[in-house]
Amino acid sequence: MRRQPFRAAEGGHLVDRSEPLRFDFDGHRYEGYQGDSLASGLLAAGVRIVARSFKYHRPRGVWGFGSEEPNAMVTTGIREDARANLKATEILLSDGLEAFGQNAWPSVAWDMGGAVGLAGRLMPAGFYYKTFMAPTRGWSALYEPLIRRMAGFGPAPAAPDDAFYAKRRIHADVLVAGGGPAGVAAALAAARAGARVVLADENVRFGGALLRMPGEIEEGDGLAWIDTAIAELETMSHVCLLRRATVTGYYDHNLLTVAERPDDDVEPSTPAVRLWFVRARDVVLAAGAHERPLLFDGNDRPGVMSASAAAGYAHAYGVLAGRQVVVAGNNDSIYAVARLLRGAGVAIAAVADSRSGGGVPDLPCRMGWVVERAVGSRRVRGVLLRRADGKPEDKGERIACDFVAMAGGWSPTLHLHAQARGSLDYDEERGLILPGRAGGVNRSAGAAAGRFDLDGCLAEGWAAGLAAATSSGHERPVGPPPRSPNRSAGDAPVSWQVGPGKRFVDLQYDVTAADIELAAREGYQSVEHVKRYTALGMGTDQGKTSSMAGLVLLSEALGRPVARTGTTTFRPPYTPVPIAAMAAGLVGEGRDALRRTAADDWHEAQGAVFTAAGLWRRPRYYPRDGMEEVETIEAEVRETRGGVGIVDVGTLGKVDIQGRDARVFLDLIYANRISTLGIGRGRYGLMLREDGRVFDDGVIMRLGEHHFYLTTTTAHQHAVMQHIEFLLQTVWPELEVYASDVTEHWFAAALAGPGSRALLGRAAPELDLSDAAFPMMAVRAATVAGLSALVFRMSYSGELSYEIAVPADHGLALWTRLLSEGREDDLTPYGTEAMGVMRIEKGHVTHAEADGRTTPDDLGLGRMVSADKRGVGKRSLDLPALRQKGRRQLVGLSVIDTQARIPPGCQVAESSDMKPAPPLGHITSFCYSPTFGRAIALALVENGRARTGQTVHITSPMTGLSMAAEVVPPVFYDAQGTRLHG
Amino acid sequence: MADDLSDIRRSPLAGLDLGSRAGGAGGVLLSEGAARESFILRGQADDAAFARAVEAALGIGLPQEPAAAVGSDALLIRLGPDEWRLIVPLADGGQFAARLASELARAGGPGALVNVSSATTVIAVAGERATDLLATGTGIDFDPTAFPPGQSVRTRVGNTQALIHRQAVDAFELHVPRSHARSFWEWLEDRGREFHAAIAL
């Protein structure tokens, strides 16, 4: 038995007959050739049913030739390798390919949904608005699962897609979208003129319509001329040729996306899809045209297909869509198609031309005849023809055939032109929507502009390429344009007869002519509403073959001109782009810009448990053998408070401020006065937003006459820098101040605890650490552990503490040297958890308290706001709303029950009964305090300071927990600050 | 007295142990570039005293065109209307910067000079596919007419921002933020699979 019964004895410029391939479809093994598409392979094997339709589960076959295919939706691979919703026309056949038709169980050939005819009756136009209205609970319980099973597309993959996806950005003078005769002529002209050209075409070979039907260029075979032109372009280093690459989107400023599918069967380094971002000075839109369907009863039956596709399978692959054909249409292309098919060995049963008169002697023409109905269910067995001008009661004539090639005329591909916000003009006489005024910098050429003759396409493409090159400044001589003797192509009238039966407009979403009429009868007028009501054009093919017919039918039903109906909005992408391609380079481990401090390698080697702080990772705590997390954190706190600890504070934002007006500027951006700071001294500073709320806090150190160094919180590094730059550039440009972000340059570690002075004394023997020589909030340049460093005396933990900063390249050396120096002190490295416990005990605020809603007074920092100077946000503090009584104020809460632990997300309430009532406030930070042996918290509470000594309730409505707590001042630990001196 | 700096310098890429993974031949070669001294230089381009001080100290004039870079041993790159980056070899031992600081002081202290030598890590990307690899993550036009060798640009590349310096048509140095260096290297290696990227020491 022949394995490829429908392969012609010869022909097929895309296939290599010396290389047979085997592939599986729905569990059956078939044979094809290298160069076949899955669609041509299936047709060659005689497989007619390739998928089932969306709503009605009707059997469907191959309809088109390329990306316009509405029917032949398949899934390739299984389980984790499964890729769904692919078009059989776009899949390159490879040895061992496994594919499955979609929307059917157990297979497309024998589908339960279709057999019971259940789905169709459930789903009239707008079915999801009508059928499943009530009860609402029914949706998730019953309707959705039912519809999903019956009407879903391919299965979602069961595991992450581990294929490689890539992106590439490229700049061009001229991007040519479409590599048919017009596009290749445009690219050749532009490239010869000297322009940088990107030419992208979705097929495996350049040639466009010439792949499907032969034509003549320059007194020779058209495809041969294309090959010669491509060979010339390939020698030019300023030309980039992309095959199997669809221009999918046209965005602002002439940015276009191109989805390239380099090869389907890949080595690990070849991406499954490469998404190009092309920034083009000028664009030639030569994306061709789509063939329109004819609307007759049963026009969806397997075997009914686009005439140009039927010709294309014979010409490009040597594959016959059947043995005996009826060619039907409304334009001259049917004669060329019929002759090509006859030449390939197909018997021509009839050529039905809806136009009266004319005809050609060499073909069995039926002038003035149209197809009334396709006969057969699982495949076409014949058609019923009738006179176009006949009466309804006329008996038609049945003609046997096993496939129908239908030619309803051509619709220019307007998508990219329209995405660029170009206008559309309806040519009433020709029945075409044509590109009007261009949106971006682009020009349409060839069939995409309504030129359907080969000579016209070449001339227009050539001229467009030249113009695009000229507009981008390239004017080298290019020679004469190519010519073709094929100089006429008749237009097709726009008229779709409508009658009884299932006349499919949108094959993918099963929208019939009757559905559109029903929508019009129900009052829908806007084409956008009709689209959403009927689902017309909403499939993965985005209505490439259906939208024109839908438009005309709607206009006729509403009795108004097509131009008034307009089109739906063209949105990118033109063809589906995998999400994985859009996410290429952005997903997976390590793809985030994880920030590591200079001591990160040490933390990792110690097995630190990390926490995310913005993009930074910081040690949360350092696990110890045999100890739980909470015990470890308590030990880190205890050992620091009782001895000495070290913490990595390299993540704090750091800003270098220089310039003659630095002091003036710092007074303006901080609420408190900075200008009085002496050299070598530091001060805590509070930054406000313009609206008076606390923005950030940090420490400002004065290093020289006009030189300051300030820290920001880890979270607000970039925001503070942006704030400073904005003010300098726009508000006070006259100030001579230079602010530089030096966060990345400095590493810092803090030594904290009563033992820190002794340890630092040994590490920096030249430094006098006595209180008198090195007081609180002083800064000194010193050599620490053999490294040039800046030492700040400040405290976050509430203990005697020093922060030591070195250039980050020396950060790990500082860290490890301090740790080995500190061995005799039992120096304890601690993480952010212990740091957080100590700062809560000490009542320091973070962004949990300074949450963008709180003023300095709310946080108990009202005294810091300098009364005798101006500054950002100060004026807003006089707003009545910020001064009124009843604002939430920062307090400490000390939980009375020592065994109780505070859960996350707690409110503060007057009573413990958990009845709905406005809360008094909310918990901002909480911990178990090993120092006090109980849970403590910081909270923002209405009139909180006046409640000191009262009992309130910490309640967790989500968990039902409630506990009594005493209101105390926020500084739990060492309110007098004696421990800061060791 | 501080130790000899070269012994204690630690690259953020050290933890990746590039030595154990070096080798292979591909369309693009990734390596860690030599460490540099690096300074932010701020000042007004039209301030003659500032410009004279810079030229006196470095022997090269302030580049005025955006993204223009001048010099070779000492590279001065214009990054903004009032911002330049001075990049000098580590072996210089801070002499360029010291000279510049004293010339600026002599001129009355215009502008600002900030040491950011530890702030960036240098990653070299070279080979015939170097521009293709970079183009997976940045929108810069790498055509030699648009971005000739010797020029620099600060822009986003992949998951970080980088100062890209084009040394030759096929050779680039990327100065990336130190804290991002490791994850950026991992990103480069991942994207480099497409070009069979090789690692060199």
Side-chain angles (χ1 to χ4, degrees):
Chain A
M1 193 179 97
R2 282 178 66 200
R3 284 212 177 101
Q4 301 188 49
F6 288 87
R7 183 82 63 176
E10 54 187 28
H13 60 79
L14 287 182
V15 291
D16 178 355
R17 290 178 186 245
S18 69
E19 291 221 35
L21 305 170
R22 284 185 300 178
F23 67 100
D24 288 348
F25 183 75
D26 270 358
H28 297 281
R29 178 141 298 185
Y30 301 101
E31 190 193 76
Y33 291 129
Q34 183 75 39
D36 262 323
S37 68
L38 176 59
S40 67
L42 289 169
L43 286 172
V47 177
R48 290 291 175 266
I49 304 174
V50 177
R52 289 274 172 166
S53 73
F54 181 61
K55 269 161 63 176
Y56 302 125
H57 283 236
R58 285 164 73 101
R60 291 284 165 80
V62 174
W63 190 95
F65 191 78
S67 65
E68 81 285 5
E69 174 62 45
N71 268 351
M73 306 290 291
V74 301
T75 296
T76 62
I78 49 171
R79 287 187 289 276
E80 59 269 25
D81 291 330
R83 295 210 185 131
N85 301 338
L86 303 176
K87 297 172 183 120
T89 50
E90 292 192 303
I91 298 170
L92 273 182
L93 213 53
S94 59
D95 205 37
L97 178 78
E98 235 179 328
F100 303 88
Q102 282 185 185
N103 235 6
W105 185 86
S107 75
V108 292
W110 303 105
D111 169 54
M112 293 306 291
V116 292
L118 178 66
R121 274 192 292 280
L122 277 176
M123 301 180 187
F127 68 92
Y128 30 70
Y129 303 115
K130 290 172 178 165
T131 314
F132 308 108
M133 289 296 289
T136 46
R137 188 174 296 169
W139 178 256
S140 55
L142 175 64
Y143 303 146
E144 191 182 2
L146 175 71
I147 296 171
R148 286 253 175 265
R149 188 153 6 125
M150 298 303 292
F153 268 1
D161 181 354
D162 61 359
F164 185 70
Y165 291 86
K167 280 180 189 157
R168 191 86 61 85
R169 289 160 180 81
I170 188 172
H171 294 250
D173 292 316
V174 182
L175 168 66
V176 181
V184 172
L188 190 61
R192 282 185 182 171
R196 290 158 70 191
V197 173
V198 175
L199 171 62
D201 186 86
E202 61 187 4
N203 292 301
V204 69
R205 181 177 185 181
F206 290 102
L210 292 173
L211 298 180
R212 301 186 298 256
M213 297 278 286
E216 192 180 333
I217 300 176
E218 297 287 334
E219 291 167 16
D221 175 52
L223 214 45
W225 180 87
I226 296 271
D227 287 347
T228 308
I230 294 297
E232 181 181 338
L233 290 168
E234 253 159 2
T235 64
M236 300 180 179
S237 62
H238 59 293
V239 174
C240 174
L241 298 176
L242 300 176
R243 293 173 179 84
R244 283 174 65 73
T246 311
V247 184
T248 54
Y250 196 136
Y251 302 89
D252 286 348
H253 306 294
N254 267 25
L255 178 72
L256 292 97
T257 50
V258 183
E260 181 194 7
R261 295 152 291 136
D263 200 348
D264 275 348
D265 205 15
V266 297
E267 53 177 320
S269 60
T270 306
V273 174
R274 186 184 286 121
L275 191 57
W276 293 76
F277 297 81
V278 185
R279 184 75 70 177
R281 287 179 200 274
D282 209 317
V283 179
V284 176
L285 301 174
H290 292 128
E291 188 156 44
R292 299 169 178 170
L294 300 176
L295 304 186
F296 50 84
D297 186 9
N299 64 346
D300 66 322
R301 292 301 181 196
V304 179
M305 66 198 300
S306 150
S308 70
Y313 286 108
H315 186 56
Y317 300 106
V319 168
L320 309 179
R323 309 265 180 234
Q324 192 163 25
V325 68
V326 168
V327 183
N330 57 6
N331 63 83
D332 287 350
S333 73
I334 51 177
Y335 305 121
V337 168
R339 285 178 188 132
L340 187 142
L341 291 175
R342 185 178 59 193
V346 176
I348 312 298
V351 176
D353 190 331
S354 61
R355 302 168 297 179
S356 50
V360 291
D362 60 322
L363 291 165
C365 296
R366 301 295 188 98
M367 301 312 294
W369 285 70
V370 296
V371 180
E372 169 75 16
R373 183 154 58 89
V375 182
S377 61
R378 293 169 51 79
R379 57 172 302 163
V380 172
R381 305 203 175 279
V383 295
L384 193 64
L385 293 183
R386 69 168 175 82
R387 290 201 158 278
D389 56 0
K391 298 181 185 69
E393 63 270 24
D394 284 355
K395 262 190 78 177
E397 183 180 345
R398 184 169 164 160
I399 296 185
C401 66
D402 63 355
F403 76 113
V404 179
M406 60 178 177
W410 297 90
S411 292
T413 306
L414 304 162
H415 301 64
L416 296 170
H417 168 85
Q419 285 174 22
R421 294 283 181 270
S423 67
L424 300 176
D425 297 334
Y426 184 62
D427 185 330
E428 188 87 45
E429 199 175 321
R430 300 180 65 202
L432 295 176
I433 303 177
L434 296 169
R437 175 189 43 75
V441 184
N442 64 61
R443 49 207 82 230
S444 296
R451 285 301 293 260
F452 299 131
D453 64 301
L454 185 51
D455 192 52
C457 285
L458 290 167
E460 256 191 36
W462 188 266
L466 261 188
T470 306
S471 90
S472 53
H474 298 279
E475 294 183 311
R476 274 189 237 148
V478 299
R483 297 300 307 264
S484 167
N486 308 122
R487 284 174 198 166
S488 71
D491 287 334
V494 172
S495 170
W496 277 285
Q497 76 279 10
V498 176
K502 288 217 176 294
R503 296 158 191 263
F504 285 88
V505 180
D506 186 324
L507 290 161
Q508 189 163 111
Y509 267 17
D510 271 349
V511 181
T512 64
D515 289 328
I516 293 168
E517 291 176 331
L518 178 63
R521 279 205 308 280
E522 289 183 356
Y524 287 90
Q525 303 218 350
S526 157
V527 64
E528 296 282 5
H529 293 162
V530 170
K531 168 180 171 175
R532 281 149 188 83
Y533 190 60
T534 62
L536 172 73
M538 287 172 70
T540 62
D541 62 338
Q542 290 282 288
K544 287 180 180 59
T545 55
S546 64
S547 64
M548 190 64 197
L551 194 56
V552 171
L553 291 180
L554 179 64
S555 301
E556 284 172 359
L558 293 170
R560 69 185 183 198
V562 171
R564 258 198 64 208
T565 300
T567 67
T568 53
T569 307
F570 290 88
R571 293 188 183 86
Y574 172 69
T575 54
V577 177
I579 299 284
M582 300 182 201
L586 302 173
V587 290
E589 195 156 352
R591 293 298 89 77
D592 278 344
L594 181 68
R595 300 180 76 180
R596 294 171 164 92
T597 75
D600 186 83
D601 288 344
W602 188 90
H603 303 320
E604 190 168 86
Q606 289 298 307
V609 174
F610 288 98
T611 189
L615 291 176
W616 291 100
R617 68 170 191 178
R618 306 184 69 178
R620 216 166 108 79
Y621 64 96
Y622 299 90
R624 301 180 184 191
D625 284 342
M627 283 173 77
E628 297 288 325
E629 175 179 342
V630 281
E631 295 172 318
T632 310
I633 293 163
E634 285 172 34
E636 289 179 6
V637 172
R638 230 176 13 248
E639 291 163 16
T640 300
R641 291 226 185 278
V644 56
I646 185 168
V647 62
D648 180 343
V649 291
T651 61
L652 285 183
K654 299 139 201 132
V655 185
D656 178 281
I657 302 273
Q658 296 188 48
R660 292 189 185 96
D661 301 313
R663 290 163 63 206
V664 177
F665 178 66
L666 291 173
D667 269 355
L668 288 167
I669 63 169
Y670 284 99
N672 50 324
R673 192 174 278 288
I674 308 298
S675 54
T676 52
L677 201 56
I679 294 173
R681 296 305 303 261
R683 187 168 290 167
Y684 176 70
L686 199 61
M687 253 185 216
L688 305 186
R689 290 194 318 223
E690 293 84 339
D691 64 2
R693 272 70 170 189
V694 175
F695 171 44
D696 203 58
D697 65 348
V699 171
I700 303 98
M701 298 282 170
R702 186 165 180 192
L703 301 178
E705 181 60 27
H706 300 299
H707 191 185
F708 293 80
Y709 173 100
L710 52 97
T711 65
T712 76
T713 57
T714 297
H716 274 179
Q717 176 204 341
H718 295 298
V720 168
M721 200 58 213
Q722 225 164 25
H723 179 68
I724 288 176
E725 271 300 325
F726 176 79
L727 293 171
L728 282 176
Q729 288 180 29
T730 63
V731 183
W732 300 299
E734 70 282 4
L735 295 184
E736 193 191 310
V737 177
Y738 299 105
S740 308
D741 188 339
V742 291
T743 306
E744 292 285 336
H745 178 67
W746 293 100
F747 170 78
L751 289 173
S756 57
R757 184 178 278 134
L759 168 52
L760 184 59
R762 291 200 310 281
E766 296 162 22
L767 200 56
D768 183 350
L769 293 175
S770 67
D771 253 347
F774 199 164
M776 260 307 272
M777 302 309 281
V779 55
R780 299 284 182 267
T783 299
V784 179
L787 305 164
S788 294
L790 284 176
V791 183
F792 309 132
R793 183 168 167 200
M794 63 174 82
S795 179
Y796 194 57
S797 58
E799 303 297 337
L800 172 69
S801 175
Y802 300 89
E803 269 186 36
I804 302 143
V806 295
D809 283 344
H810 305 160
L812 188 64
L814 175 76
W815 183 266
T816 53
R817 287 177 185 194
L818 285 174
L819 275 155
S820 62
E821 185 66 52
R823 214 166 281 145
E824 62 184 86
D825 312 78
D826 290 327
L827 176 62
T828 298
Y830 64 93
T832 54
E833 283 295 317
M835 186 176 76
V837 168
M838 289 190 277
R839 77 97 190 160
I840 294 171
E841 289 177 344
K842 192 61 188 171
H844 287 306
V845 299
T846 64
H847 288 297
E849 288 78 32
D851 62 358
R853 296 177 292 183
T854 46
T855 66
D857 184 65
D858 297 341
L859 300 176
L861 302 171
R863 281 176 303 124
M864 284 189 68
V865 180
S866 174
D868 57 354
K869 72 165 189 64
R870 293 180 303 154
V872 173
K874 186 178 173 198
R875 211 166 155 267
S876 302
L877 294 176
D878 284 334
L879 285 166
L882 300 193
R883 291 180 157 270
Q884 73 190 16
K885 292 234 180 309
R887 287 188 64 82
R888 292 186 177 186
Q889 296 170 331
L890 184 72
V891 295
L893 296 178
S894 183
V895 175
I896 290 160
D897 176 358
T898 56
Q899 299 305 307
R901 297 291 179 270
I902 305 171
C906 280
Q907 302 289 318
V908 179
E910 204 113 34
S911 90
S912 62
D913 63 10
M914 301 250 202
K915 287 196 179 129
L920 284 182
H922 63 277
I923 303 292
T924 55
S925 304
F926 61 94
C927 68
Y928 169 75
S929 165
T931 313
F932 297 101
R934 64 179 72 241
I936 61 170
L938 296 176
L940 286 163
V941 176
E942 267 177 37
N943 299 322
R945 288 196 287 272
R947 295 180 193 268
T948 304
Q950 296 177 9
T951 298
V952 294
H953 296 271
I954 297 173
T955 64
S956 167
M958 296 298 288
T959 61
L961 277 177
S962 172
M963 64 196 78
E966 185 189 348
V967 179
V968 296
V971 184
F972 295 85
Y973 183 72
D974 186 29
Q976 287 70 43
T978 51
R979 296 194 59 85
L980 299 175
H981 303 282
Chain B
M1 189 56 209
D3 290 1
D4 177 12
L5 299 183
S6 57
D7 293 342
I8 51 167
R9 271 199 81 260
R10 169 89 175 180
S11 159
L13 301 181
L16 285 171
D17 192 13
L18 299 182
S20 69
R21 298 189 290 154
V28 61
L29 200 61
L30 307 177
S31 60
E32 181 171 4
R36 312 293 160 78
E37 292 267 298
S38 182
F39 300 85
I40 294 170
L41 176 64
R42 305 288 299 269
Q44 301 306 314
D46 55 2
D47 178 345
F50 172 70
R52 270 199 308 274
V54 173
E55 184 145 15
L58 306 180
I60 46 181
L62 277 178
Q64 300 290 337
E65 291 299 311
V70 296
S72 51
D73 271 3
L75 195 61
L76 195 54
I77 302 160
R78 188 164 194 198
L79 292 181
D82 60 356
E83 183 180 354
W84 290 263
R85 182 66 58 93
L86 173 65
I87 299 170
V88 294
L90 207 54
D92 166 69
Q95 290 177 48
F96 268 106
R99 262 203 319 273
L100 182 52
S102 79
E103 287 293 341
L104 287 171
R106 252 173 28 139
L113 184 66
V114 186
N115 190 337
V116 287
S117 302
S118 278
T120 49
T121 301
V122 185
I123 292 171
V125 179
E128 57 177 1
R129 306 303 302 275
T131 54
D132 287 336
L133 172 55
L134 294 177
T136 66
T138 187
I140 294 296
D141 184 356
F142 287 109
D143 190 273
T145 57
F147 186 27
Q151 202 168 333
S152 289
V153 66
R154 184 166 55 179
T155 187
R156 178 180 167 165
V157 183
N159 57 7
T160 189
Q161 65 144 297
L163 175 66
I164 305 176
H165 180 63
R166 187 171 205 166
Q167 298 171 305
V169 169
D170 286 343
F172 298 84
E173 278 196 340
L174 276 62
H175 300 250
V176 299
R178 179 197 170 83
S179 68
H180 295 192
R182 191 163 152 177
S183 59
F184 177 66
W185 178 279
E186 286 164 354
W187 179 88
L188 261 185
E189 270 197 43
D190 175 59
R191 295 294 99 192
R193 283 194 282 160
E194 192 182 346
F195 313 103
H196 301 281
I199 295 170
L201 275 185

